Each structure stands twice: as C-alpha cells, then as structure tokens.
Amino acid sequence: MPDVFAELVGQDDAVDTLRRAAASAAAVLRAAHLPAPSSTVDPDDDLAALAEADEGAEAGGTGTAVDPGAGMTHAWIFTGPPGSGRSVAARAFAAALQCVHGTGCGTCSGCHTTLTGTHADVRLVAPEGLSIGVGEMRALVLRAASTPSGGRWQVVIIEDADRLTEAAGNALLKAVEEPPPRTVFLLCAPSTHPEDVSVTIRSRCRVVPLRQPSAAAVAEVLVRRDGIAPDVAQWAAAAAQGHVGRARRLARDPEARQRRDAVLAVPRRLTGVGTALDAASALIEAAEAEAAASVAESDAAERAALQTALGAGGTGRGAAGATRGSAGQLKDLEKRQKSRATRAQRDALDRALVDLAGFYRDALTSSLRAPVAPVHTDTAALAEAGGQKWAPEGALRRLEAVLECRAAIEANVKPRIAVEAMMLSLWRG
Ligand SMILES: [Zn+2]
C-alpha cells in the first residue's frame, strides 16, 4: 500500500527528511503521553524539549528519547519551482503528523482525513486573490493556538506564503516566534528569497527544498497513478517541463492541449506589428476565457449559497434590514471573486508564457547544438528552423523577452502592456 509520500514525484531527499521528522514527532507524543518519571519532556512544551534534545545531540550528547538527527520542529518552508509539489509535500507531512501510526501510512483515519481536507486539526490557507490578508491570518493564528482535538498536532498549511501581505506576514511571524506547544506551521513558497518569504520568518523555519522532477519521473507517475498510456505520458511530461499537475492536464484534457497548440503557433505568425499586436490580444483573451471558465462554477455556487443564507426574497419583519446588510456581504463576495478571477487569469497567462519560453529555449539549444532533449517535441522542427535563422544570439534575445514579460507581470505591470511589448520584441528579434 503506497503511503502519503508516494505522491511526491522525484523528491527522495525531501521524503527522507520528512519521514524522519514524522517519526521524531511521534516520539515526542509518545514521550508526552508516558507518565514515566524518567521522561524529561514537559508535556506543555514538547517541541522546546525536543529542541534542547537536538542541541544536546549536537554537543555530543547521546541517549535522548528521540532520534536527534531527525529533528522535528514547529515551522517548515517547502520551496521549489511551480509544479514540483510544494503543497503536496506539505499535505503529506501534515498527514504523517496526524497519522495514528506516526508514519503517514495513508490508510488510517488521521492520514485519510488530512488528505481529504476534513481533519479538525489541519488548517489550510490557499489564497483566492493575489494576496493573503491580515484578517485571515490573525483568525488562523488564533485558532491554531488551541489544543489539538485529536491529541496530536495543530497543523497550519500556508500554500502561497509568498503571497502574504506584509501585515499578514507580521501576524504569522508572531506565531512562529512564540509557537504554541503543539502547533506546526507548514509554509510553501517558490524560494527562500526575501521577496518570497521575509528573512525573519525564514530564519525560524526549516527549509525543505524540492527539485523540478525529471520528465522521466513525471511520466512514470502519470502511467502508474493515472493510467495514462506511456507515449502520451512521456510527451506530456516533457511538454510540462517538470510540472506534474500540468503534465496530467495536458495528457487528459483536450482543451488544455488546444490552448497549448495555439500558444506554440504564435512564433510563426509574427510577421509584422499588426500580427504581433493581434497575437498579444489573442493570448490575453485566451487567458481570460480560460480563467473565466475555471471560476464560473464556484462563483455561481458561492453566490447562491450566500443568497440562501441571507434568506433572499424574504418579506417578513426584519427582511428590509437583512437586505441592507446583505448588500454589503454580496459586495464583499464579489470583491473576493474578482480578486480570484484576476489571479486565475495571471496563472493562465503564466502557463502560456512558460510554454512559449520552452519553444525559444528549444530554438536556442538547437542552434547551439546542445545535446539536450527538446521541451516541445511536437514543435521541435519549427524551433530548429528558428534557431538556424536567428542564431544563438537571436534565440536568446527572444527567450529573454518572454522571461522579461513574466517578470514584468509578476511586478504588476498590466498584462496587456507586458505581452504587447514581448510580442513586438519576438517579432523584431
Ligand atoms: Zn496513517
């Protein structure tokens, strides 16, 4: 039976670290539950005792109750490129902490409820908008300080810690600085760069770096877990550039494949200023359409739920007052939904830009005759022709134009302006 870490593709080192930490955490709980007089662990301060045990071990001490090198700690950061499985790793570790066997067996109720998002002591923050606000963070920190109802750990997973507002980061920092005894914070961020996670938070966390998994590792999991045919899996894994979720979508969703085809058709359509601007419009509109489709269902469901909760259509006493209050709540909901739609658009656009960057990378490597496999096997011939025409310098300039566009959008340049500038650069060379 595969355990909770089986979903982590090509991350042997990280899995090793997490397994040892989970075993160490289980040892802490066992020590706390044992009334043995020899136990030096104060049940009110389990992790502090553990930290002391760790320090003792570093100073050459032996014979502590927990494996000293394994080290459990109360705050972790999972870093790695998009699609490497940061949130998968955080959830798997959370499950291992709640596992009744302390291993992440994958089958017990602790593992199961954590992985399905219903465990009472596991809280997940996944920003719907562009950032995580201070209100949300304060409420979370407060609840995380309570005693775990399941008798193990309170686990807080923050999926995009790089999207914390400064105020939210400060609220989190306070909790990480003075952690409640049984609370564990699991942060996910692209990197430990100060732009992603503040240095003060970073300094209190243990980092688990995840790698971009190899195409072979991604293809293997698509075949084994999702039952995808090996040739399709290999193509999708290469085209997704190590992004597991994207590879699965490409393998399974014809619309995702069509969108990718449209993006990869861009380079050969750039014949002048007019076509460059048209291509920019098409790219932006495709991202908008993709995002709209992805949020439409949840938007409608949320609105209906709120209206039901507010008793829409009521005519009895108090209905007028309720309507006045509900206008505000509906406005709040619309604001949240708009913010989520903006983020979905940016994510869709970014996926398109990553595909496009892959094409120019292929052109560059082929013009350099570098012995590496192309990202996009299906446009490899086109990329090779481009590489010959542009020479390495021209291919590199184009690749840089795409990467600059991504960076500009990340820095809040209006997407249309950034994409138009990119298309013009791609056309001019
Ligand atoms: Zn389990």
Side-chain angles (χ1 to χ4, degrees):
M1 192 65 181
D3 69 8
V4 293
F5 295 111
E7 296 283 296
L8 264 173
V9 181
Q11 310 292 352
D12 295 349
D13 293 347
V15 169
D16 238 35
T17 304
L18 296 175
R19 274 189 208 287
R20 275 185 286 132
S24 171
V28 170
L29 293 181
R30 273 196 303 275
H33 292 154
L34 275 180
S38 64
S39 170
T40 56
V41 180
D42 175 355
D44 287 334
D45 204 0
D46 302 337
L47 284 178
L50 185 65
E52 279 162 25
D54 256 357
E55 279 161 24
E58 275 159 28
T62 50
T64 45
V66 290
D67 178 2
M72 174 59 189
T73 189
H74 67 277
W76 298 74
I77 299 183
F78 297 84
T79 64
S84 57
R86 299 182 301 239
S87 67
V88 174
R91 283 165 209 246
F93 186 41
L97 291 176
Q98 304 295 9
C99 174
V100 301
H101 308 294
T103 57
C105 67
T107 50
C108 76
S109 64
C111 285
H112 186 71
T113 52
T114 302
L115 292 180
T116 54
T118 55
H119 196 292
D121 297 331
V122 179
R123 296 200 167 75
L124 177 74
V125 187
E128 298 205 322
L130 293 172
S131 60
I132 305 172
V134 64
E136 194 181 351
M137 186 53 64
R138 284 212 186 107
L140 185 86
V141 163
L142 204 64
R143 277 185 304 167
S146 59
T147 307
S149 62
R152 300 188 69 87
W153 306 95
Q154 283 281 10
V155 182
V156 177
I157 303 174
I158 299 170
E159 273 208 339
D160 292 273
D162 55 311
R163 300 191 200 219
L164 291 172
T165 62
E166 199 184 335
N170 288 337
L172 173 66
L173 176 61
K174 251 190 210 153
V176 173
E177 274 177 334
E178 291 167 33
R182 288 287 187 86
T183 305
V184 180
F185 291 94
L186 307 180
L187 282 58
C188 307
S191 75
T192 54
H193 189 277
E195 269 177 23
D196 286 337
V197 182
S198 84
V199 175
T200 37
I201 291 181
R202 153 75 188 89
S203 68
R204 284 167 173 81
C205 296
R206 190 164 304 166
V207 179
V208 180
L210 301 173
R211 290 190 293 252
Q212 175 170 313
S214 69
V218 174
E220 188 272 328
V221 80
L222 292 184
V223 171
R224 172 169 55 78
R225 184 185 59 193
D226 303 316
I228 288 162
D231 54 334
V232 177
Q234 273 158 22
W235 165 80
Q241 304 179 56
H243 191 307
V244 183
R246 170 108 176 108
R248 183 163 52 225
R249 256 195 311 281
L250 283 175
R252 282 190 158 167
D253 178 0
E255 282 181 18
R257 283 200 292 275
Q258 275 167 19
R259 283 193 292 268
R260 173 179 169 279
D261 289 347
V263 168
L264 292 178
V266 163
R268 61 170 177 268
R269 287 169 54 193
L270 297 174
T271 53
V273 175
T275 54
L277 295 181
D278 286 350
S281 287
L283 201 67
I284 298 276
E285 279 151 27
E288 282 170 357
E290 185 186 343
S294 77
V295 298
E297 208 172 305
S298 53
D299 278 4
E302 280 172 6
R303 205 163 20 244
L306 180 60
Q307 276 165 347
T308 306
L310 293 170
T315 52
R317 275 158 65 95
T323 307
R324 277 194 298 276
S326 66
Q329 291 192 39
L330 268 176
K331 220 172 163 185
D332 276 357
L333 178 66
E334 275 163 15
K335 206 174 127 196
R336 277 206 309 280
Q337 291 183 338
K338 194 167 170 239
S339 165
R340 179 168 62 197
T342 305
R343 168 148 182 229
Q345 274 170 29
R346 289 205 188 171
D347 288 350
L349 188 56
D350 196 56
R351 278 194 291 278
L353 293 174
V354 169
D355 282 345
L356 207 51
F359 176 87
Y360 291 108
R361 173 214 173 265
D362 288 347
L364 177 64
T365 53
S366 107
S367 69
L368 291 171
R369 304 191 185 288
V372 291
V375 171
H376 302 298
T377 46
D378 42 358
T379 54
L382 201 63
E384 194 183 330
Q388 276 175 8
K389 196 167 121 193
W390 302 324
E393 295 78 14
L396 181 61
R397 275 199 303 278
R398 287 169 173 85
L399 174 58
E400 280 173 349
V402 180
L403 300 179
E404 274 163 22
C405 178
R406 289 185 74 199
I409 292 171
E410 189 61 40
N412 277 326
V413 173
K414 219 165 175 276
R416 182 172 292 272
I417 292 173
V419 172
E420 283 180 352
M422 174 193 78
M423 290 295 185
L424 290 171
S425 301
L426 293 179
W427 162 61
R428 285 199 205 100

